[in-house]
Amino acid sequence: MKTPANGAKVASHDLFSAVYSVLVEKAGAIESYRRDFIYHHAESKQPCDEWRFQGKLGFGGKYWRRYNQVSCYYEDFTPEREAIIKKTNAGLSLLNKQI
């Protein structure tokens, strides 16, 4: 990984493709946004810190690069979404050592 001027680590295309696969599988992220997600996390000179993927977590469904976790808006939080967040974060935790 290389570190740009803002201090964020730039990881590989394959790694963020794997992250997005978890978002699609567990949280219903929109598949057609995969390329943009990968670009903004692995290829951009200023990588994203957060990404609004929406899916099953509603408009506030976000991926947080720093924590390699997802969340949703507090007002959208339900027991169903809590379960989705837990499953998604468990899947993402398998990639934590690589982020």
Side-chain angles (χ1 to χ4, degrees), residues 64-93:
W64 300 90
R65 179 191 179 110
R66 176 180 293 177
Y67 308 107
N68 193 36
Q69 292 185 340
V70 299
S71 66
C72 71
Y73 286 149
Y74 177 77
E75 59 268 21
D76 293 339
F77 198 79
T78 64
E80 179 184 1
R81 286 188 171 148
E82 178 181 24
I84 292 167
I85 289 168
K86 285 181 180 180
K87 288 177 185 176
T88 305
N89 287 339
L92 292 170
S93 72

Side-chain angles (χ1 to χ4, degrees), residues 11-29:
S12 76
H13 176 280
D14 291 342
L15 175 58
F16 280 103
S17 183
V19 167
Y20 204 75
S21 290
V22 172
L23 297 180
V24 169
E25 179 184 328
K26 307 284 186 193

Side-chain angles (χ1 to χ4, degrees), residues 32-75:
S32 62
Y33 296 164
R34 178 184 295 267
R35 179 73 196 115
D36 289 339
F37 177 86
I38 292 168
Y39 171 79
H40 288 288
H41 286 83
E43 300 169 15
S44 175
K45 291 180 182 180
Q46 298 262 336
C48 278
D49 292 326
E50 61 187 67
W51 183 267
R52 186 182 311 277
F53 68 89
Q54 302 171 31
K56 295 176 185 175
L57 298 180
F59 184 73
K62 282 189 178 181
Y63 167 76
W64 300 90
R65 179 191 179 110
R66 176 180 293 177
Y67 308 107
N68 193 36
Q69 292 185 340
V70 299
S71 66
C72 71
Y73 286 149
Y74 177 77
E75 59 268 21

